[in-house]
Amino acid sequence: MNQVPQDAIELLLQRQSNPFLEQPAPNQEDLDKILTAAMRVPDHGGLAPWHFTVIENQGLDKLSDVLVSAAVAKNAEETKVAKAKKMPYRAPMIIVVSTKFIEHKVPEQEQLIAAGCAAHAMQMAAFALGYGAMWRTGEFSYNAQVKQGLNIKLIDQIVGFLYLGTESKTLPAKPVKPYQDFVSYLK
């Protein structure tokens, strides 16, 4: 497991994604904490406009089949189909974060952002618990056949695939991007 900062600010300042993940995945107690963290995010209207599909064990095989079928349906080259088949096995657990849009005065864009905040909170919670995590998107996030295979309504969006597990390789710390070029002040 990674070295977990004890201070919340240090955790946010040190966190980085790590694609090198192996068993163990979060146990049920830790998964409960990760999912509970998602439920605490800012959510205009208190709509909870998201859904989490937890995939592990044989579920990874099913996700592999869904991705392969989607790639084949798009006439993907053999190398892309082979890559799609392997994608779910990058980690022992994946949480697919999707929207669950609700007809409401709160615009869908804000509901999408709230679902993104939920994904972020889960990633931070996993890191705080000592796990590695990688939030991935890619073309399968926007594929109708993948949505169907995951029982996600076509009107909803896949916010991302949150890969979770124990870091199998420690990565060097990424340099911190200075924020100054991204900030302006109105006084």
Side-chain angles (χ1 to χ4, degrees), residues 11-51:
L11 180 134
L12 292 170
L13 296 177
Q14 293 179 20
R15 185 228 58 92
Q16 74 180 38
S17 297
N18 188 332
F20 300 100
L21 303 170
E22 64 185 5
Q23 290 286 0
N27 58 38
Q28 190 59 54
E29 181 181 341
D30 289 343
L31 179 59
D32 290 344
K33 289 176 185 172
I34 290 166
L35 294 169
T36 300
M39 300 304 292
R40 299 286 301 171
V41 302
D43 175 17
H44 185 184
L47 303 177
W50 49 69
H51 183 79

